């Protein structure tokens, strides 16, 4: 259970980096934000989507096997991770 909770939190942090990087790209002048983009690019674009998929699949398997209850895995953060995964799958890289 602790592993699933840790993965959900880590995935959420990476997803926030993804959203920040996506927002900077949409502003049109990423050079002005280069100090920020250097740090969030790795977590946001390279780690977020694969980690998010692994986290969601692990959580769903653990829920189906009844090893963990939905209330124990931070349900709001889990739902936000699922929504951000949908954005990641739709958005162009």
């Amino acid at each position: 259970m602790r592993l699933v909770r840790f993965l959900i939190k880590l995935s959420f942090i990476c997803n926030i980096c993804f959203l920040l990087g996506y927002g900077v790209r949409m502003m049109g002048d990423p050079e002005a934000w280069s100090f920020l983009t250097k740090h969030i690019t790795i977590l946001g674009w390279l780690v977020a989507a694969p980690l998010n998929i692994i986290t969601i699949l692990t959580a769903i398997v653990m829920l189906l096997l009844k090893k963990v209850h939905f209330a124990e895995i931070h349900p709001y953060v889990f739902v936000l991770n699922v929504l951000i995964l949908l954005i990641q799958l739709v958005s162009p890289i």
Side-chain angles (χ1 to χ4, degrees):
M1 177 178 76
R2 285 194 271 177
L3 176 66
V4 175
R5 292 178 70 181
F6 172 75
L7 285 175
I8 288 173
K9 291 175 188 176
L10 180 64
S11 180
F12 183 70
I13 291 169
C14 293
N15 287 334
I16 295 299
C17 290
F18 170 80
L19 292 176
L20 286 173
Y22 193 72
V24 168
R25 280 187 52 205
M26 290 297 131
M27 284 186 195
D29 189 18
E31 295 300 322
W33 297 89
S34 65
F35 65 94
L36 182 66
T37 57
K38 290 177 185 175
H39 299 290
I40 64 172
T41 302
I42 299 299
L43 282 178
W45 294 101
L46 297 178
V47 177
L51 179 65
N52 208 5
I53 292 169
I54 291 169
T55 301
I56 291 170
L57 289 177
T58 304
I60 289 173
V61 168
M62 295 293 276
L63 286 168
L64 290 175
L65 293 176
K66 298 188 191 260
K67 300 254 183 193
V68 67
H69 299 288
F70 189 67
E72 297 173 347
I73 61 167
H74 306 290
Y76 295 114
V77 178
F78 179 75
V79 171
L80 283 174
N81 283 343
V82 171
L83 293 175
I84 294 172
L85 177 65
L86 294 174
I87 293 170
Q88 289 170 344
L89 295 176
V90 172
S91 69
I93 294 178

